[in-house]
C-alpha cells in the first residue's frame, strides 16, 4: 500500500514535469507510468526466478559469491520451472483473493465507521431516519481517477495470465474464476458502498489498448525463453536426437530418454572443494569408504580432462538449440498472430463500408446545406441591389 502511494506521487510528479498539452495526453502519460511502476513491482520476482535464479552461481570449487562472502541462491534440484510455477500459483490464488477481500472490505469498514460517527453526533436520536440523498452522501467517494484502478487491475492480471502461461497453464482458468466472482463484488460495491459516479464520454480505452498490445508481444518473447531456457524441453530434445539411444535414427520416444539424467550430470572431485565449501562428512557412513567424487547438474568436463570443468560439446549443442528454438518460436507465433488479424479484422468489411458511406453522406449533406445557404444569401443581395458579379457560385 505504501509503495502504491509512492508510485502514484512519483508518476504525478513526472507527468506534471512533462506538461502535456491536453487532458487526454496527461491521462495517457500518467497511465503509462503507473502501469510500468506496478508491472515492475509485481513481476520482478517472477522474472528473477524464471531467468536469473541459479544462472550465475558458478560450479562446485568455483562458486560466485556476493562480496566474496555469500553464495548466490540456486534453483531446486528439480529445476527453476517448479519454483516459477509455485510463485505463479501464489500470485493467481492468494493475491487475487486478498485483492478481492480488500476491494470490498475497505469500503465496508469505512462506511460502518461513518455511520457510527453519525450516530454519535446525533446522540439520543438513534432511530432518526435520514433522507436517501444524505445516505448516499455518507457513502465512500469514488476514486479521483475514476475506473483507473479497475483497468489497472485487469491489465496486470492479463499480464500474469499470458507472460508465464507456459510455466503455469492454470493461470487463465484461475483468472476466469476470479473475474466471475469479481463482477458480482464490483456490482455490489458500486451499488451499495460507493457514491454514484459521474458519467463521462470516452472514445475508446485510450492508451490501455497499446499497453495490451505490448503485453501480448512481451508474452510471446517471455514464453519462448521460458520453454527454451527455464524448462528442460530443449536439453531433453537434444539428448533424444543427438546423444541418446535413438541418436541418428530421427525418432524420439520414452525409450530414447534412457540415460538422460546421467548425461545431464557432471562429475566433481571432492578434493577440489574450496576450504569454506568442504562437506562436513566424507560420506564414509553411507558407503564404508570416503567418497572421492560427486555429481551436479551441468554440462562440464571431468576433473581429469585437459581443461578441467570446462564446458562440454553437449553444452554448446543445447545452447544453439535453445537460441534456434527462440527465434523460430517467436517468428512462427507472430506470423500466426498477423494472419489471424488479417483474416479477422477489428471491423467487418460491410461495417467499414457502411461507415465510409455514412461519412460520405454527411459530407454531401454539409456541402448541400452550405450551397443552399450561399444561394439564399445571393438572392437576398440581388433583391437589395447589392449583388456582386464575382461571387460563387
Amino acid at each position: 500500500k505504501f509503495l502504491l502511494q509512492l508510485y502514484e506521487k512519483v508518476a504525478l510528479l513526472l507527468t506534471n514535469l512533462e506538461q502535456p498539452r491536453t487532458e487526454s495526453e496527461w491521462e495517457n502519460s500518467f497511465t503509462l507510468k503507473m502501469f510500468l511502476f506496478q508491472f515492475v513491482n509485481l513481476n520482478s520476482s517472477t522474472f528473477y526466478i524464471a531467468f536469473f535464479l541459479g544462472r550465475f552461481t558458478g560450479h562446485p570449487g568455483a562458486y560466485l559469491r556476493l562480496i566474496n562472502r555469500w553464495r548466490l541462491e540456486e534453483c531446486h534440484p528439480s529445476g527453476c520451472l517448479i519454483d516459477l510455477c509455485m510463485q505463479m500459483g501464489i500470485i493467481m490464488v492468494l493475491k487475487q483473493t486478498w485483492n478481492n477481500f480488500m476491494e470490498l472490505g475497505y469500503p465496508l469498514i469505512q462506511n460502518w465507521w461513518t455511520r457510527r460517527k453519525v450516530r454519535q453526533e446525533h446522540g439520543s436520536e438513534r432511530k432518526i431516519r435520514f433522507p436517501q440523498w444524505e445516505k448516499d452522501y455518507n457513502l465512500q467517494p469514488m476514486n479521483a481517477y475514476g475506473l483507473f484502478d479497475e483497468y489497472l487491475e485487469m491489465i496486470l492480471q492479463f499480464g500474469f495470465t499470458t507472460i508465464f502461461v507456459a510455466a503455469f497453464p492454470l493461470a487463465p482458468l484461475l483468472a476466469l474464476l476470479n473475474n466471475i466472482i469479481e463482477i458480482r463484488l464490483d456490482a455490489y460495491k458500486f451499488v451499495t458502498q460507493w457514491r454514484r459516479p459521474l458519467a463521462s464520454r470516452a472514445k475508446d480505452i485510450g492508451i490501455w489498448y497499446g499497453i495490451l498490445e505490448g503485453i501480448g508481444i512481451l508474452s510471446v518473447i517471455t514464453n519462448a525463453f521460458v520453454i527454451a531456457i527455464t524448462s528442460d524441453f530443449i536439453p531433453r530434445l537434444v539428448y533424444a536426437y543427438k546423444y541418446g539411444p535413438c541418436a541418428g535414427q530421427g525418432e524420439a520416444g520414452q525409450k530414447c530418454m534412457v540415460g538422460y539424467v546421467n548425461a545431464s550430470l557432471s562429475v566433481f572431485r571432492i578434493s577440489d572443494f574450496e576450504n569454506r565449501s568442504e562437506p562436513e562428512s566424507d560420506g564414509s557412513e553411507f558407503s564404508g569408504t570416503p567418497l572421492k567424487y560427486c555429481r551436479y547438474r551441468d554440462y562440464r568436463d571431468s576433473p581429469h580432462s585437459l581443461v578441467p570443468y570446462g564446458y562440454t560439446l553437449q553444452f554448446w549443442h543445447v545452447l544453439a538449440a535453445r537460441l534456434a528454438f527462440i527465434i523460430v518460436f517467436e517468428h512462427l507465433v507472430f506470423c500466426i498472430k498477423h494472419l489471424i488479424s488479417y483474416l479477422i479484422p477489428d471491423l467487418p468489411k460491410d461495417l467499414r463500408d457502411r461507415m465510409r458511406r455514412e461519412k460520405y453522406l454527411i459530407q454531401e449533406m454539409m456541402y448541400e446545406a452550405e450551397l443552399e445557404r450561399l444561394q439564399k444569401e445571393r438572392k437576398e443581395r440581388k433583391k437589395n441591389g447589392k449583388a456582386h458579379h464575382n461571387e460563387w457560385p
Side-chain angles (χ1 to χ4, degrees):
K1 189 68 175 181
F2 171 75
L3 286 178
L4 180 60
Q5 295 176 354
L6 178 62
Y7 294 150
E8 183 177 339
K9 292 181 180 180
V10 174
L12 282 172
L13 176 62
L14 295 177
T15 305
N16 291 330
L17 288 176
E18 291 180 4
Q19 297 182 353
R21 294 181 303 170
T22 62
E23 183 179 357
S24 61
E25 289 183 2
W26 188 95
E27 291 179 353
N28 291 342
S29 179
F30 176 76
T31 299
L32 180 61
K33 291 177 178 57
M34 280 295 294
F35 166 76
L36 291 177
F37 284 142
Q38 286 286 78
F39 182 83
V40 172
N41 182 41
L42 296 176
N43 287 275
S44 57
S45 61
T46 52
F47 274 90
Y48 169 73
I49 294 174
F51 305 122
F52 297 99
L53 180 61
R55 305 293 172 189
F56 311 101
T57 58
H59 62 86
Y63 285 118
L64 297 179
R65 298 178 182 273
L66 188 63
I67 321 179
N68 199 27
R69 184 174 180 181
W70 295 289
R71 278 182 54 186
L72 300 178
E73 188 180 9
E74 297 186 39
C75 294
H76 189 271
S78 60
C80 293
L81 194 65
I82 300 299
D83 296 337
L84 181 60
C85 181
M86 293 175 61
Q87 179 76 4
M88 288 297 300
I90 292 171
I91 291 173
M92 296 303 297
V93 177
L94 298 182
K95 188 178 184 301
Q96 290 191 144
T97 303
W98 175 254
N99 286 344
N100 288 336
F101 174 77
M102 289 301 297
E103 279 189 20
L104 185 61
Y106 182 76
L108 280 172
I109 295 174
Q110 289 290 328
N111 289 330
W112 171 81
W113 185 256
T114 302
R115 289 194 299 268
R116 184 174 178 273
K117 289 173 62 177
V118 170
R119 294 194 197 100
Q120 290 178 350
E121 290 175 359
H122 288 82
S124 60
E125 301 178 6
R126 293 181 179 272
K127 296 184 179 180
I128 186 172
R129 298 182 64 85
F130 297 100
Q132 186 62 42
W133 64 267
E134 191 168 351
K135 293 180 181 178
D136 293 342
Y137 179 77
N138 290 329
L139 296 177
Q140 291 301 302
M142 194 173 180
N143 191 303
Y145 305 110
L147 295 176
F148 174 82
D149 289 339
E150 304 294 333
Y151 273 105
L152 182 61
E153 181 184 1
M154 289 294 102
I155 297 298
L156 292 173
Q157 184 197 69
F158 176 74
F160 282 124
T161 304
T162 56
I163 291 177
F164 293 104
V165 68
F168 190 65
L170 283 177
L173 176 61
L174 295 176
L176 174 63
L177 296 177
N178 172 79
N179 291 343
I180 292 174
I181 297 173
E182 190 168 357
I183 286 174
R184 303 316 309 161
L185 293 180
D186 284 347
Y188 178 79
K189 179 178 64 176
F190 274 91
V191 173
T192 64
Q193 304 301 319
W194 278 5
R195 297 176 188 170
R196 181 181 298 176
L198 297 176
S200 59
R201 298 181 61 182
K203 182 180 179 181
D204 49 30
I205 61 175
I207 198 174
W208 291 116
Y209 183 78
I211 292 175
L212 287 172
E213 286 282 344
I215 292 177
I217 296 174
L218 178 63
S219 65
V220 174
I221 299 173
T222 305
N223 282 290
F225 275 88
V226 167
I227 297 173
I229 296 177
T230 310
S231 72
D232 289 337
F233 175 73
I234 298 300
R236 293 171 65 90
L237 208 61
V238 171
Y239 178 80
Y241 285 99
K242 183 68 177 176
Y243 297 95
C246 305
Q249 301 179 16
E251 61 178 75
Q254 191 67 28
K255 63 178 182 178
C256 299
M257 297 307 299
V258 176
Y260 167 72
V261 175
N262 185 55
S264 65
L265 298 176
S266 299
V267 178
F268 179 75
R269 187 166 48 198
I270 294 179
S271 60
D272 292 337
F273 267 119
E274 302 168 290
N275 292 332
R276 49 185 168 178
S277 299
E278 288 182 352
E280 298 179 355
S281 171
D282 58 2
S284 57
E285 63 271 19
F286 300 106
S287 60
T289 57
L291 297 177
K292 296 182 179 180
Y293 300 95
C294 64
R295 309 294 296 274
Y296 64 100
R297 276 190 75 164
D298 208 343
Y299 296 103
R300 293 184 179 271
D301 290 321
S302 68
H304 305 290
S305 61
L306 295 177
V307 182
Y309 308 117
Y311 286 117
T312 62
L313 183 61
Q314 187 175 356
F315 169 82
W316 299 110
H317 284 164
V318 171
L319 180 61
R322 282 171 167 168
L323 296 177
F325 174 83
I326 291 172
I327 295 173
V328 173
F329 180 85
E330 289 179 359
H331 283 72
L332 179 62
V333 174
F334 283 132
C335 289
I336 294 175
K337 173 182 176 294
H338 289 299
L339 178 62
I340 294 176
S341 299
Y342 175 77
L343 297 177
I344 309 175
D346 295 336
L347 290 176
K349 185 177 182 301
D350 56 344
L351 178 59
R352 186 165 57 247
D353 293 340
R354 287 202 301 268
M355 292 174 64
R356 290 176 178 174
R357 175 170 176 75
E358 189 174 306
K359 183 178 180 181
Y360 168 76
L361 292 176
I362 291 174
Q363 291 178 345
E364 188 176 11
M365 290 173 60
M366 293 175 62
Y367 172 78
E368 292 178 354
E370 184 68 15
L371 181 63
E372 184 179 354
R373 184 184 67 81
L374 292 174
Q375 289 177 347
K376 187 175 180 181
E377 289 181 358
R378 183 180 180 184
K379 290 180 181 179
E380 290 180 354
R381 290 178 179 177
K382 284 183 177 181
K383 290 181 180 178
N384 298 330
K386 297 181 180 179
H388 299 278
H389 297 288
N390 59 347
E391 285 187 2
W392 183 87

